[in-house]
Amino acid sequence: MRIAHFSDLHYGAATLEEADRCFGAAVDRAIAERVEAAILSGDATDHGLDLHEPATLKLLAQVRRLADHCPVLMLQGTFSHEPPGTLSVFRLLGARHPVHVADRIEQVALTREGFWQASSSWRFEDVPMGARLLLSCVPTINKAVVAATVGAVDAPQAVGEHLALLLAGFAPTNRRARAQGIPTVAVSHGTVFGSLSEHGVPMAGFDHEFSTGVLFSAETQAVMLGHIHRHQSWEQNGPAGRQCIAYAGSIGRFHFGEEGEKGFLLWEVSADAGACMLVPTPARRTIDIVFEGRPDLEALREAIASHGVEGAHVRVRWTVADEDRHAVDRAAISRLLAGAAQAKLEGRIVPVVRTRAPSISQLGTLADKVRRWAELTGVEPACVLKCLEALSEEGPTEIVEHLLQSIGMRALVKEYASTCARVFV
């Protein structure tokens, strides 16, 4: 069975142009490839949207186009991006084919007539009659509820343990489906331990929901995941046949520094094997130019010539000391990036940190404090102490007179030296 797998569309006001261009192209390709079903594995929106917002209307229109071609299943994603209830409106689209919203743990069968049939509890005891595809759906888990039950410290481990039991619990039904020649798929939204983020950073820690072993234990031929914005996959051959786990990644490039191509997955799933292929979308091109210090305009010109910034989204970053912050010519940098679709300038200012010398406040006199300061900073204290003595013994008028006399004497000495030099020449 040919299935289109989309994920992390992130429709919102700030992301609308990128999301709609990429998802629109993906829907066009999926229709051209004659997919038999489409799955969206979470985070269709970037945040809670009002129905009248342009992002909502554009997303509804694209999903409607997709559902006019084939049955569509949408999974609940991260609550901060896709608040509970956000997807309910998609049930009412009234397209040629139905849209099923999987916002609870359940199994769902796609029938030969093209309808979705959901389990009344968390799984089917028997494979529904007339099923041609069986999906095991695990939407985002509300860790706050788990934390309220078992405590914040134990919540990550508890979530992992329960998900492991849950996925293994799907296996008997999936085995029965496989015996009847029905393809099986697991769909979820979460983090696999050891996966890579879109910036190339390994996702390691104690709060990740899955391991590949736990996902394979559901005994589905395909595991379609959302949440991580980088496409990656894992495969194994076992008693359940050829199994494949894959993140589709985000539909577009929404942040600077994201690695890898963006797109959607075209799956071929049978009762004994699952395989996928990334189909790229026209995601925007991003370029990072970083300076460790004040931006060098000549080096920036060379980087622009090397990368070719025409039509790209460019970010220039630098780090300077606080006293040099005004020496950065932002206008000149912007002029050099005039051909870019977007130019983002980010300067990091390193503040001047002044700390009191240790124990200086415990010294009895100001002169002792000056000596301590001079010792720590490597300054000769005699001149400073002489000035301090003058401030304590002389009035302002006397200090000014002495200063002017000192300046006058220096000027006379300088003039005399200059005259001698001219005479010598």
Side-chain angles (χ1 to χ4, degrees):
M1 187 173 187
R2 179 166 288 190
I3 302 171
H5 171 204
F6 312 93
S7 194
D8 294 272
L9 311 181
H10 285 281
Y11 269 73
T15 58
L16 178 55
E17 181 184 356
E18 175 76 357
D20 200 54
R21 183 181 68 255
C22 294
F23 187 43
V27 171
D28 289 341
R29 179 65 183 274
I31 293 172
E33 293 287 346
R34 298 180 177 275
V35 298
E36 299 167 79
I39 293 172
L40 281 70
S41 57
D43 286 0
T45 61
D46 193 57
H47 49 78
L49 297 175
D50 292 327
L51 284 177
H52 67 273
E53 290 189 46
T56 306
L57 299 177
K58 292 281 190 180
L59 177 58
L60 286 166
Q62 297 290 9
V63 174
R64 171 64 187 260
R65 274 206 311 135
L66 190 58
D68 277 338
H69 172 75
C70 67
V72 176
L73 181 138
M74 301 181 72
L75 187 81
Q76 168 72 56
T78 309
F79 298 132
S80 58
H81 289 304
E82 207 167 60
T86 298
L87 301 180
S88 297
V89 67
F90 290 93
R91 295 187 175 104
L92 309 175
L93 275 182
R96 181 182 174 192
H97 298 279
V99 176
H100 180 78
V101 175
D103 52 8
R104 66 180 178 89
I105 295 170
E106 62 184 355
Q107 284 189 313
V108 182
L110 179 62
T111 67
R112 294 190 184 95
E113 293 77 22
F115 295 105
W116 297 107
Q117 181 179 340
S119 61
S120 57
S121 62
W122 66 279
R123 72 174 183 183
F124 291 116
E125 293 302 323
D126 295 303
V127 180
M129 292 289 294
R132 63 185 299 241
L133 176 68
L134 181 64
L135 294 95
S136 302
C137 302
V138 183
T140 295
I141 302 299
N142 191 334
K143 292 181 182 177
V145 174
V146 180
T149 305
V150 302
V153 175
D154 297 324
Q157 182 178 349
V159 168
E161 290 173 352
H162 284 291
L163 285 174
L165 292 171
L166 172 70
L167 287 160
F170 287 135
T173 310
N174 289 326
R175 282 196 292 270
R176 286 192 284 272
R178 189 166 64 252
Q180 298 175 36
I182 299 171
T184 58
V185 173
V187 187
S188 192
H189 192 89
T191 306
V192 173
F193 184 85
S195 59
L196 296 177
S197 75
E198 62 271 27
H199 297 100
V201 179
M203 304 295 287
F206 298 105
D207 61 343
H208 302 322
E209 292 89 344
F210 310 113
S211 67
T212 54
V214 164
L215 290 169
F216 283 132
S217 71
E219 296 190 25
T220 60
Q221 279 60 62
V223 181
M224 303 181 186
L225 297 177
H227 186 50
I228 302 298
H229 287 198
R230 182 190 182 108
H231 165 59
Q232 54 209 292
S233 62
W234 301 263
E235 295 182 349
Q236 78 166 17
N237 285 313
R242 181 75 172 171
Q243 295 177 278
C244 181
I245 302 168
Y247 281 105
S250 58
I251 200 71
R253 189 168 283 107
F254 300 115
H255 306 99
F256 285 95
E258 293 190 29
E259 300 176 356
E261 283 194 296
K262 299 298 179 178
F264 74 100
L265 295 182
L266 196 58
W267 284 84
E268 293 285 352
V269 186
S270 66
D272 56 8
C276 65
M277 173 185 73
L278 179 69
V279 180
T281 54
R284 68 184 185 178
R285 190 165 61 96
T286 59
I287 299 171
D288 269 313
I289 303 174
V290 181
F291 293 94
E292 294 297 332
R294 194 167 68 184
D296 184 310
L297 294 183
E298 188 57 40
L300 181 58
R301 287 189 188 93
E302 293 175 2
I304 290 170
S306 172
H307 293 290
V309 300
E310 195 70 29
H313 294 251
V314 184
R315 179 173 63 177
V316 180
R317 312 178 87 177
W318 64 86
T319 303
V320 294
D322 192 33
E323 58 266 26
D324 295 329
R325 64 191 303 173
H326 300 297
V328 177
D329 192 342
R330 286 176 168 264
I333 296 172
S334 296
R335 285 194 295 272
L336 290 174
L337 298 173
Q342 178 194 18
K344 190 173 185 180
L345 310 184
E346 293 183 358
R348 179 173 174 267
I349 309 301
V350 180
V352 176
V353 179
R354 296 180 175 88
T355 58
R356 181 180 291 275
S359 306
I360 197 169
S361 60
Q362 299 177 12
L363 298 175
T365 67
L366 184 57
D368 289 338
K369 293 178 181 180
V370 169
R371 290 189 188 92
R372 177 61 175 159
W373 168 82
E375 177 187 344
L376 293 170
T377 57
V379 173
E380 173 56 46
C383 180
V384 182
L385 289 170
K386 185 177 180 180
C387 292
L388 180 63
E389 183 180 353
L391 286 171
S392 61
E393 295 181 356
E394 299 177 359
T397 303
E398 295 171 298
I399 292 173
V400 171
E401 288 177 354
H402 290 160
L403 182 60
L404 290 174
Q405 289 174 7
S406 175
I407 293 172
M409 288 298 295
R410 288 198 203 100
L412 286 173
V413 170
K414 186 176 181 181
E415 183 179 354
Y416 175 74
S418 177
T419 303
C420 290
R422 285 198 299 273
V423 171
F424 178 77
V425 170

